[in-house]
Amino acid sequence: AALAWRKHWHFTLKKHVSVCELECSFEVLLYMTVHPGRRRSQFWAKQTRWSPIHPIGEIMTKKRWVDIQSHLKFAVKPIGVTDPLFQVDSLVKQFHANRRATVSPGNTLTVDELFSKWLGHESTTHADGMPFVQKNPNKPVGVGGEYIALCDAQSGVMMALEMCRGPQHNATIAKGKLFGAAVTVKLAQEAQVTDRWKHLIVGDSRFSSLQMALLAN
């Protein structure tokens, strides 16, 4: 995984970033995701009731972590590539390849949408922020990126991911079918969920339909 990140990302920091520091910065980021609702400064507190293992300050200082995260950028695209999502697609492909090689899907999986809020300006282009930003009035922060994820229900491990890019892209995936059904099949194939008698996929009304049942057979 570290090699994959090094291959597709670069830094513009004055102080050299080692592989160990890069891995530690992601470790801190992952640690934050399992302790939501905390202010950033709380993660560097010396003693906290919610940190049973160790304070993050023992891994990396707050200033260094912020410096690395703020300078983390995609490498320059190859000459002739104009797709703003070229690097994102490459990273997702590596993610799927890693999952297939290291994790086997359990008997029950769940599919649902995710929404990553964008805190920048709505008019920000992909060169300055997220490569694709959309609006969803049904979300608490309705501007950001929408994704469809297939996760193992027992372990909670995400097995496959699809980034939504608007009606035209969704229609390409659907190929005349309902998008919810088509994207579920696509994610199941990415996660190597091929035995319909062994695996159960659970989803809400967006992903549950007669068409989905027919495609599963």
Side-chain angles (χ1 to χ4, degrees):
L3 291 176
W5 282 100
R6 290 173 63 195
K7 184 178 179 181
H8 290 276
W9 298 77
H10 71 88
F11 295 88
T12 56
L13 290 172
K14 293 181 179 179
K15 181 182 176 182
H16 175 71
V17 178
S18 66
V19 175
C20 181
E21 276 192 307
L22 179 60
E23 292 174 342
C24 286
S25 70
F26 291 130
E27 181 181 348
V28 171
L29 188 62
L30 291 172
Y31 190 77
M32 289 179 171
T33 63
V34 297
H35 295 93
R38 307 286 175 177
R39 295 192 303 272
R40 180 179 293 179
S41 59
Q42 289 181 298
F43 288 99
W44 276 268
K46 293 183 178 180
Q47 292 182 350
T48 56
R49 292 181 299 176
W50 53 269
S51 179
I53 303 176
H54 55 258
I56 280 181
E58 294 182 8
I59 301 177
M60 178 176 289
T61 66
K62 178 183 176 182
K63 183 180 184 305
R64 187 58 173 167
W65 184 81
V66 172
D67 285 344
I68 292 175
Q69 291 297 312
S70 61
H71 287 83
L72 188 64
K73 298 181 180 180
F74 275 112
V76 178
K77 293 190 293 292
I79 296 176
V81 175
T82 58
D83 183 5
L85 291 164
F86 174 80
Q87 294 113 319
V88 176
D89 289 337
S90 178
L91 195 61
V92 171
K93 287 180 181 178
Q94 291 186 58
F95 167 76
H96 287 151
N98 178 271
R99 280 292 186 266
R100 287 192 294 267
T102 59
V103 183
S104 298
N107 294 332
T108 304
L109 300 100
T110 180
V111 60
D112 204 354
E113 63 185 36
L114 307 174
F115 197 83
S116 178
K117 60 185 179 182
W118 167 237
L119 300 180
H121 193 273
E122 294 183 19
S123 62
T124 302
T125 64
H126 67 268
D128 302 312
M130 295 179 69
F132 184 82
V133 179
Q134 63 189 53
K135 294 183 178 180
N136 189 332
N138 298 321
K139 301 298 181 182
V141 180
V143 178
E146 186 176 61
Y147 311 85
I148 308 298
L150 181 70
C151 301
D152 182 82
Q154 184 175 1
S155 66
V157 173
M158 183 185 294
M159 303 297 301
L161 180 71
E162 175 69 27
M163 182 177 183
C164 299
R165 311 174 195 181
Q168 185 175 356
H169 177 74
N170 292 356
T172 301
I173 294 176
K175 297 180 179 179
K177 305 179 182 67
L178 294 174
F179 172 73
V183 74
T184 301
V185 172
K186 180 181 179 181
L187 294 177
Q189 292 173 343
E190 291 285 3
Q192 293 186 330
V193 180
T194 56
D195 190 342
R196 64 180 183 273
W197 302 112
K198 180 180 178 181
H199 301 287
L200 172 66
I201 299 179
V202 180
D204 60 20
S205 58
R206 184 178 184 183
F207 308 97
S208 303
S209 63
L210 175 60
Q211 196 173 86
M212 180 69 254
L214 294 175
L215 288 173
N217 289 325

